[in-house]
PDB file of all heavy atoms in Angstrom:
ATOM      1  N   THR M 256       0.802  -1.101  -0.003  1.00 83.00           N
ATOM      2  CA  THR M 256      -0.029  -0.101  -0.082  1.00 83.00           C
ATOM      3  C   THR M 256       0.868   1.249  -0.002  1.00 83.00           C
ATOM      4  O   THR M 256       1.962   1.207   0.570  1.00 83.00           O
ATOM      5  CB  THR M 256      -0.887   0.005   1.193  1.00 83.00           C
ATOM      6  OG1 THR M 256      -1.699   1.230   1.172  1.00 83.00           O
ATOM      7  CG2 THR M 256      -0.069  -0.039   2.517  1.00 83.00           C
ATOM      8  N   ASP M 257       0.339   2.341  -0.555  1.00 87.00           N
ATOM      9  CA  ASP M 257       1.084   3.583  -0.603  1.00 87.00           C
ATOM     10  C   ASP M 257       0.458   4.479   0.445  1.00 87.00           C
ATOM     11  O   ASP M 257       0.753   5.703   0.652  1.00 87.00           O
ATOM     12  CB  ASP M 257       1.007   4.300  -1.914  1.00 87.00           C
ATOM     13  CG  ASP M 257      -0.344   4.577  -2.386  1.00 87.00           C
ATOM     14  OD1 ASP M 257      -1.421   4.277  -1.682  1.00 87.00           O
ATOM     15  OD2 ASP M 257      -0.596   5.095  -3.540  1.00 87.00           O
ATOM     16  N   ASN M 258      -0.283   3.947   1.377  1.00 85.00           N
ATOM     17  CA  ASN M 258      -0.858   4.708   2.544  1.00 85.00           C
ATOM     18  C   ASN M 258       0.256   5.357   3.293  1.00 85.00           C
ATOM     19  O   ASN M 258       1.198   4.742   3.878  1.00 85.00           O
ATOM     20  CB  ASN M 258      -1.629   3.852   3.496  1.00 85.00           C
ATOM     21  CG  ASN M 258      -2.253   4.565   4.684  1.00 85.00           C
ATOM     22  OD1 ASN M 258      -1.954   5.632   5.010  1.00 85.00           O
ATOM     23  ND2 ASN M 258      -3.233   3.880   5.272  1.00 85.00           N
ATOM     24  N   PRO M 259       0.419   6.725   3.448  1.00 87.00           N
ATOM     25  CA  PRO M 259       1.474   7.464   4.126  1.00 87.00           C
ATOM     26  C   PRO M 259       1.642   6.908   5.495  1.00 87.00           C
ATOM     27  O   PRO M 259       2.770   6.965   5.966  1.00 87.00           O
ATOM     28  CB  PRO M 259       0.957   8.818   3.983  1.00 87.00           C
ATOM     29  CG  PRO M 259       0.096   8.967   2.806  1.00 87.00           C
ATOM     30  CD  PRO M 259      -0.711   7.660   2.828  1.00 87.00           C
ATOM     31  N   GLN M 260       0.581   6.537   6.241  1.00 83.00           N
ATOM     32  CA  GLN M 260       0.702   6.071   7.510  1.00 83.00           C
ATOM     33  C   GLN M 260       1.590   4.699   7.672  1.00 83.00           C
ATOM     34  O   GLN M 260       2.033   4.457   8.707  1.00 83.00           O
ATOM     35  CB  GLN M 260      -0.588   5.865   8.249  1.00 83.00           C
ATOM     36  CG  GLN M 260      -1.323   7.196   8.373  1.00 83.00           C
ATOM     37  CD  GLN M 260      -2.728   7.095   9.124  1.00 83.00           C
ATOM     38  OE1 GLN M 260      -3.030   5.966   9.541  1.00 83.00           O
ATOM     39  NE2 GLN M 260      -3.309   8.195   9.391  1.00 83.00           N
ATOM     40  N   LEU M 261       1.749   4.009   6.599  1.00 85.00           N
ATOM     41  CA  LEU M 261       2.466   2.861   6.581  1.00 85.00           C
ATOM     42  C   LEU M 261       3.838   2.866   5.788  1.00 85.00           C
ATOM     43  O   LEU M 261       4.445   1.860   5.632  1.00 85.00           O
ATOM     44  CB  LEU M 261       1.576   1.716   6.053  1.00 85.00           C
ATOM     45  CG  LEU M 261       0.360   1.278   6.763  1.00 85.00           C
ATOM     46  CD1 LEU M 261      -0.513   0.271   6.114  1.00 85.00           C
ATOM     47  CD2 LEU M 261       0.674   0.975   8.335  1.00 85.00           C
ATOM     48  N   ASN M 262       4.051   4.119   5.347  1.00 93.00           N
ATOM     49  CA  ASN M 262       5.395   4.506   4.629  1.00 93.00           C
ATOM     50  C   ASN M 262       5.865   5.783   5.195  1.00 93.00           C
ATOM     51  O   ASN M 262       5.455   6.713   4.763  1.00 93.00           O
ATOM     52  CB  ASN M 262       5.099   4.502   3.002  1.00 93.00           C
ATOM     53  CG  ASN M 262       4.491   3.181   2.511  1.00 93.00           C
ATOM     54  OD1 ASN M 262       5.326   2.362   2.126  1.00 93.00           O
ATOM     55  ND2 ASN M 262       3.245   3.152   2.390  1.00 93.00           N
ATOM     56  N   TYR M 263       6.832   5.633   6.040  1.00 95.00           N
ATOM     57  CA  TYR M 263       7.236   6.920   6.740  1.00 95.00           C
ATOM     58  C   TYR M 263       8.763   6.773   7.275  1.00 95.00           C
ATOM     59  O   TYR M 263       9.319   5.683   7.342  1.00 95.00           O
ATOM     60  CB  TYR M 263       6.333   7.124   7.882  1.00 95.00           C
ATOM     61  CG  TYR M 263       6.303   6.069   9.023  1.00 95.00           C
ATOM     62  CD1 TYR M 263       7.106   6.173  10.164  1.00 95.00           C
ATOM     63  CD2 TYR M 263       5.525   4.926   8.795  1.00 95.00           C
ATOM     64  CE1 TYR M 263       7.024   5.110  11.063  1.00 95.00           C
ATOM     65  CE2 TYR M 263       5.464   3.972   9.794  1.00 95.00           C
ATOM     66  CZ  TYR M 263       6.265   4.042  10.911  1.00 95.00           C
ATOM     67  OH  TYR M 263       6.218   2.997  11.815  1.00 95.00           O
ATOM     68  N   ALA M 264       9.311   7.816   7.739  1.00 96.00           N
ATOM     69  CA  ALA M 264      10.634   7.935   8.251  1.00 96.00           C
ATOM     70  C   ALA M 264      10.513   8.469   9.730  1.00 96.00           C
ATOM     71  O   ALA M 264       9.627   9.180  10.010  1.00 96.00           O
ATOM     72  CB  ALA M 264      11.411   8.765   7.514  1.00 96.00           C
ATOM     73  N   MET M 265      11.610   7.987  10.611  1.00 93.00           N
ATOM     74  CA  MET M 265      11.590   8.585  11.923  1.00 93.00           C
ATOM     75  C   MET M 265      12.984   8.859  12.192  1.00 93.00           C
ATOM     76  O   MET M 265      13.922   8.125  11.688  1.00 93.00           O
ATOM     77  CB  MET M 265      11.075   7.521  13.008  1.00 93.00           C
ATOM     78  CG  MET M 265       9.586   7.201  12.898  1.00 93.00           C
ATOM     79  SD  MET M 265       9.146   6.176  14.256  1.00 93.00           S
ATOM     80  CE  MET M 265       9.322   7.246  15.711  1.00 93.00           C
ATOM     81  N   PRO M 266      13.389   9.917  12.905  1.00 93.00           N
ATOM     82  CA  PRO M 266      14.711  10.310  13.191  1.00 93.00           C
ATOM     83  C   PRO M 266      15.321   9.323  14.316  1.00 93.00           C
ATOM     84  O   PRO M 266      14.490   8.898  15.251  1.00 93.00           O
ATOM     85  CB  PRO M 266      14.652  11.666  13.778  1.00 93.00           C
ATOM     86  CG  PRO M 266      13.305  11.755  14.406  1.00 93.00           C
ATOM     87  CD  PRO M 266      12.374  11.004  13.512  1.00 93.00           C
ATOM     88  N   VAL M 267      16.465   8.814  14.143  1.00 90.00           N
ATOM     89  CA  VAL M 267      17.127   7.952  15.144  1.00 90.00           C
ATOM     90  C   VAL M 267      18.267   8.450  15.846  1.00 90.00           C
ATOM     91  O   VAL M 267      18.785   7.982  16.786  1.00 90.00           O
ATOM     92  CB  VAL M 267      17.446   6.581  14.410  1.00 90.00           C
ATOM     93  CG1 VAL M 267      16.075   5.748  14.104  1.00 90.00           C
ATOM     94  CG2 VAL M 267      18.278   6.679  13.152  1.00 90.00           C
ATOM     95  N   THR M 268      19.039   9.483  15.142  1.00 88.00           N
ATOM     96  CA  THR M 268      20.152  10.122  15.641  1.00 88.00           C
ATOM     97  C   THR M 268      20.026  11.573  15.299  1.00 88.00           C
ATOM     98  O   THR M 268      19.415  11.989  14.346  1.00 88.00           O
ATOM     99  CB  THR M 268      21.427   9.675  15.015  1.00 88.00           C
ATOM    100  OG1 THR M 268      21.423   9.827  13.651  1.00 88.00           O
ATOM    101  CG2 THR M 268      21.627   8.038  15.359  1.00 88.00           C
ATOM    102  N   PRO M 269      20.637  12.365  16.356  1.00 86.00           N
ATOM    103  CA  PRO M 269      20.466  13.946  16.005  1.00 86.00           C
ATOM    104  C   PRO M 269      21.148  14.288  14.674  1.00 86.00           C
ATOM    105  O   PRO M 269      22.082  13.669  14.229  1.00 86.00           O
ATOM    106  CB  PRO M 269      21.188  14.480  17.293  1.00 86.00           C
ATOM    107  CG  PRO M 269      21.167  13.347  18.246  1.00 86.00           C
ATOM    108  CD  PRO M 269      21.263  12.072  17.494  1.00 86.00           C
ATOM    109  N   ILE M 270      20.613  15.315  14.096  1.00 82.00           N
ATOM    110  CA  ILE M 270      21.196  15.920  12.857  1.00 82.00           C
ATOM    111  C   ILE M 270      21.188  17.468  13.010  1.00 82.00           C
ATOM    112  O   ILE M 270      20.209  18.102  13.459  1.00 82.00           O
ATOM    113  CB  ILE M 270      20.530  15.422  11.686  1.00 82.00           C
ATOM    114  CG1 ILE M 270      21.182  15.950  10.460  1.00 82.00           C
ATOM    115  CG2 ILE M 270      19.024  15.840  11.751  1.00 82.00           C
ATOM    116  CD1 ILE M 270      20.552  15.310   9.167  1.00 82.00           C
ATOM    117  N   GLU M 271      22.286  18.030  12.590  1.00 83.00           N
ATOM    118  CA  GLU M 271      22.430  19.513  12.688  1.00 83.00           C
ATOM    119  C   GLU M 271      21.571  20.163  11.664  1.00 83.00           C
ATOM    120  O   GLU M 271      21.445  19.596  10.536  1.00 83.00           O
ATOM    121  CB  GLU M 271      23.843  19.926  12.411  1.00 83.00           C
ATOM    122  CG  GLU M 271      24.893  19.469  13.538  1.00 83.00           C
ATOM    123  CD  GLU M 271      26.271  20.034  13.346  1.00 83.00           C
ATOM    124  OE1 GLU M 271      26.451  21.063  12.642  1.00 83.00           O
ATOM    125  OE2 GLU M 271      27.234  19.345  13.774  1.00 83.00           O
ATOM    126  N   THR M 272      20.942  21.224  12.004  1.00 80.00           N
ATOM    127  CA  THR M 272      20.043  21.913  11.128  1.00 80.00           C
ATOM    128  C   THR M 272      20.752  22.192   9.817  1.00 80.00           C
ATOM    129  O   THR M 272      19.972  22.021   8.753  1.00 80.00           O
ATOM    130  CB  THR M 272      19.557  23.166  11.735  1.00 80.00           C
ATOM    131  OG1 THR M 272      18.844  22.924  12.986  1.00 80.00           O
ATOM    132  CG2 THR M 272      18.549  23.836  10.863  1.00 80.00           C
ATOM    133  N   ALA M 273      21.911  22.531   9.760  1.00 82.00           N
ATOM    134  CA  ALA M 273      22.553  22.911   8.414  1.00 82.00           C
ATOM    135  C   ALA M 273      22.559  21.602   7.527  1.00 82.00           C
ATOM    136  O   ALA M 273      22.718  21.983   6.269  1.00 82.00           O
ATOM    137  CB  ALA M 273      24.033  23.386   8.825  1.00 82.00           C
ATOM    138  N   PHE M 274      22.555  20.487   7.934  1.00 87.00           N
ATOM    139  CA  PHE M 274      22.564  19.352   7.089  1.00 87.00           C
ATOM    140  C   PHE M 274      21.254  18.709   6.803  1.00 87.00           C
ATOM    141  O   PHE M 274      21.084  17.752   6.082  1.00 87.00           O
ATOM    142  CB  PHE M 274      23.493  18.331   7.690  1.00 87.00           C
ATOM    143  CG  PHE M 274      24.987  18.795   7.938  1.00 87.00           C
ATOM    144  CD1 PHE M 274      25.383  19.086   9.211  1.00 87.00           C
ATOM    145  CD2 PHE M 274      25.731  18.976   6.874  1.00 87.00           C
ATOM    146  CE1 PHE M 274      26.668  19.487   9.402  1.00 87.00           C
ATOM    147  CE2 PHE M 274      27.083  19.473   7.007  1.00 87.00           C
ATOM    148  CZ  PHE M 274      27.489  19.689   8.274  1.00 87.00           C
ATOM    149  N   LEU M 275      20.157  19.291   7.410  1.00 87.00           N
ATOM    150  CA  LEU M 275      18.870  18.693   7.303  1.00 87.00           C
ATOM    151  C   LEU M 275      18.350  18.711   5.958  1.00 87.00           C
ATOM    152  O   LEU M 275      17.658  17.891   5.381  1.00 87.00           O
ATOM    153  CB  LEU M 275      17.782  19.315   8.349  1.00 87.00           C
ATOM    154  CG  LEU M 275      16.483  18.607   8.370  1.00 87.00           C
ATOM    155  CD1 LEU M 275      16.629  17.254   8.888  1.00 87.00           C
ATOM    156  CD2 LEU M 275      15.487  19.397   9.298  1.00 87.00           C
ATOM    157  N   GLY M 276      18.597  19.883   5.213  1.00 88.00           N
ATOM    158  CA  GLY M 276      18.022  20.001   3.874  1.00 88.00           C
ATOM    159  C   GLY M 276      18.615  18.863   3.027  1.00 88.00           C
ATOM    160  O   GLY M 276      17.776  18.315   2.230  1.00 88.00           O
ATOM    161  N   ALA M 277      19.818  18.554   3.157  1.00 91.00           N
ATOM    162  CA  ALA M 277      20.441  17.555   2.363  1.00 91.00           C
ATOM    163  C   ALA M 277      19.783  16.156   2.788  1.00 91.00           C
ATOM    164  O   ALA M 277      19.469  15.268   1.872  1.00 91.00           O
ATOM    165  CB  ALA M 277      21.976  17.488   2.504  1.00 91.00           C
ATOM    166  N   ALA M 278      19.543  15.931   4.039  1.00 92.00           N
ATOM    167  CA  ALA M 278      18.951  14.799   4.514  1.00 92.00           C
ATOM    168  C   ALA M 278      17.585  14.521   3.986  1.00 92.00           C
ATOM    169  O   ALA M 278      17.228  13.349   3.574  1.00 92.00           O
ATOM    170  CB  ALA M 278      19.032  14.766   6.082  1.00 92.00           C
ATOM    171  N   VAL M 279      16.873  15.615   3.943  1.00 92.00           N
ATOM    172  CA  VAL M 279      15.463  15.521   3.282  1.00 92.00           C
ATOM    173  C   VAL M 279      15.592  15.203   1.874  1.00 92.00           C
ATOM    174  O   VAL M 279      14.700  14.344   1.274  1.00 92.00           O
ATOM    175  CB  VAL M 279      14.671  16.728   3.576  1.00 92.00           C
ATOM    176  CG1 VAL M 279      13.406  16.874   2.802  1.00 92.00           C
ATOM    177  CG2 VAL M 279      14.357  17.058   5.150  1.00 92.00           C
ATOM    178  N   GLU M 280      16.487  15.715   1.135  1.00 94.00           N
ATOM    179  CA  GLU M 280      16.641  15.379  -0.313  1.00 94.00           C
ATOM    180  C   GLU M 280      16.947  13.976  -0.515  1.00 94.00           C
ATOM    181  O   GLU M 280      16.394  13.321  -1.455  1.00 94.00           O
ATOM    182  CB  GLU M 280      17.741  16.333  -0.926  1.00 94.00           C
ATOM    183  CG  GLU M 280      17.375  17.796  -1.066  1.00 94.00           C
ATOM    184  CD  GLU M 280      15.981  17.889  -1.946  1.00 94.00           C
ATOM    185  OE1 GLU M 280      15.901  17.218  -2.874  1.00 94.00           O
ATOM    186  OE2 GLU M 280      15.146  18.623  -1.427  1.00 94.00           O
ATOM    187  N   ARG M 281      17.724  13.322   0.422  1.00 95.00           N
ATOM    188  CA  ARG M 281      18.003  11.929   0.265  1.00 95.00           C
ATOM    189  C   ARG M 281      16.771  11.198   0.487  1.00 95.00           C
ATOM    190  O   ARG M 281      16.521  10.093  -0.081  1.00 95.00           O
ATOM    191  CB  ARG M 281      19.108  11.512   1.311  1.00 95.00           C
ATOM    192  CG  ARG M 281      20.548  12.073   0.821  1.00 95.00           C
ATOM    193  CD  ARG M 281      21.719  11.285   1.617  1.00 95.00           C
ATOM    194  NE  ARG M 281      21.529  11.695   3.134  1.00 95.00           N
ATOM    195  CZ  ARG M 281      22.187  12.814   3.575  1.00 95.00           C
ATOM    196  NH1 ARG M 281      22.930  13.534   2.827  1.00 95.00           N
ATOM    197  NH2 ARG M 281      22.206  13.078   4.817  1.00 95.00           N
ATOM    198  N   LEU M 282      15.925  11.604   1.517  1.00 95.00           N
ATOM    199  CA  LEU M 282      14.711  10.935   1.744  1.00 95.00           C
ATOM    200  C   LEU M 282      13.751  11.075   0.488  1.00 95.00           C
ATOM    201  O   LEU M 282      13.074  10.046   0.129  1.00 95.00           O
ATOM    202  CB  LEU M 282      13.941  11.509   2.972  1.00 95.00           C
ATOM    203  CG  LEU M 282      14.471  11.244   4.393  1.00 95.00           C
ATOM    204  CD1 LEU M 282      13.729  12.074   5.403  1.00 95.00           C
ATOM    205  CD2 LEU M 282      14.455   9.780   4.588  1.00 95.00           C
ATOM    206  N   ARG M 283      13.865  12.151  -0.153  1.00 95.00           N
ATOM    207  CA  ARG M 283      12.888  12.338  -1.303  1.00 95.00           C
ATOM    208  C   ARG M 283      13.395  11.383  -2.460  1.00 95.00           C
ATOM    209  O   ARG M 283      12.482  10.650  -3.067  1.00 95.00           O
ATOM    210  CB  ARG M 283      12.964  13.772  -1.841  1.00 95.00           C
ATOM    211  CG  ARG M 283      12.275  14.831  -0.945  1.00 95.00           C
ATOM    212  CD  ARG M 283      12.378  16.124  -1.632  1.00 95.00           C
ATOM    213  NE  ARG M 283      11.385  17.026  -1.055  1.00 95.00           N
ATOM    214  CZ  ARG M 283      11.675  18.210  -0.288  1.00 95.00           C
ATOM    215  NH1 ARG M 283      12.950  18.643  -0.302  1.00 95.00           N
ATOM    216  NH2 ARG M 283      10.847  18.945   0.141  1.00 95.00           N
ATOM    217  N   VAL M 284      14.631  11.178  -2.611  1.00 96.00           N
ATOM    218  CA  VAL M 284      15.045  10.237  -3.731  1.00 96.00           C
ATOM    219  C   VAL M 284      14.735   8.858  -3.197  1.00 96.00           C
ATOM    220  O   VAL M 284      14.323   8.048  -4.017  1.00 96.00           O
ATOM    221  CB  VAL M 284      16.739  10.379  -3.733  1.00 96.00           C
ATOM    222  CG1 VAL M 284      17.086   9.122  -4.731  1.00 96.00           C
ATOM    223  CG2 VAL M 284      17.051  11.691  -4.356  1.00 96.00           C
ATOM    224  N   LEU M 285      14.839   8.513  -1.895  1.00 97.00           N
ATOM    225  CA  LEU M 285      14.548   7.108  -1.442  1.00 97.00           C
ATOM    226  C   LEU M 285      13.022   6.851  -1.643  1.00 97.00           C
ATOM    227  O   LEU M 285      12.703   5.794  -2.057  1.00 97.00           O
ATOM    228  CB  LEU M 285      14.996   6.997  -0.057  1.00 97.00           C
ATOM    229  CG  LEU M 285      14.727   5.621   0.623  1.00 97.00           C
ATOM    230  CD1 LEU M 285      15.491   4.523  -0.150  1.00 97.00           C
ATOM    231  CD2 LEU M 285      15.184   5.656   2.056  1.00 97.00           C
ATOM    232  N   PHE M 286      12.228   7.786  -1.160  1.00 97.00           N
ATOM    233  CA  PHE M 286      10.716   7.544  -1.229  1.00 97.00           C
ATOM    234  C   PHE M 286      10.342   7.588  -2.632  1.00 97.00           C
ATOM    235  O   PHE M 286       9.416   6.694  -3.036  1.00 97.00           O
ATOM    236  CB  PHE M 286       9.974   8.597  -0.529  1.00 97.00           C
ATOM    237  CG  PHE M 286       9.832   8.462   0.917  1.00 97.00           C
ATOM    238  CD1 PHE M 286      10.821   8.559   1.735  1.00 97.00           C
ATOM    239  CD2 PHE M 286       8.603   8.076   1.440  1.00 97.00           C
ATOM    240  CE1 PHE M 286      10.676   8.337   3.213  1.00 97.00           C
ATOM    241  CE2 PHE M 286       8.452   7.875   2.821  1.00 97.00           C
ATOM    242  CZ  PHE M 286       9.468   7.969   3.669  1.00 97.00           C
ATOM    243  N   ALA M 287      10.979   8.296  -3.618  1.00 96.00           N
ATOM    244  CA  ALA M 287      10.563   8.329  -4.993  1.00 96.00           C
ATOM    245  C   ALA M 287      10.959   6.960  -5.654  1.00 96.00           C
ATOM    246  O   ALA M 287      10.102   6.407  -6.537  1.00 96.00           O
ATOM    247  CB  ALA M 287      11.283   9.448  -5.723  1.00 96.00           C
ATOM    248  N   SER M 288      11.999   6.346  -5.240  1.00 96.00           N
ATOM    249  CA  SER M 288      12.330   4.987  -5.703  1.00 96.00           C
ATOM    250  C   SER M 288      11.379   3.912  -5.380  1.00 96.00           C
ATOM    251  O   SER M 288      11.398   2.981  -5.973  1.00 96.00           O
ATOM    252  CB  SER M 288      13.728   4.690  -5.296  1.00 96.00           C
ATOM    253  OG  SER M 288      13.798   4.267  -3.827  1.00 96.00           O
TER     254      SER M 288
END
């Protein structure tokens, strides 16, 4: 299913705000795949 509630990400380690944009872009690529 593509139900968003069953396809999601959760943070597991702290990440600096300056690097969050790049982290979200990696998530976008992964979810798009």
Side-chain angles (χ1 to χ4, degrees):
T256 177
D257 60 2
N258 184 336
Q260 294 185 358
L261 299 178
N262 297 271
Y263 61 97
M265 291 185 72
V267 292
T268 58
I270 182 171
E271 294 183 27
T272 302
F274 301 107
L275 187 62
V279 171
E280 288 305 315
R281 287 193 293 271
L282 286 177
R283 286 187 169 117
V284 171
L285 180 60
F286 274 75
S288 72

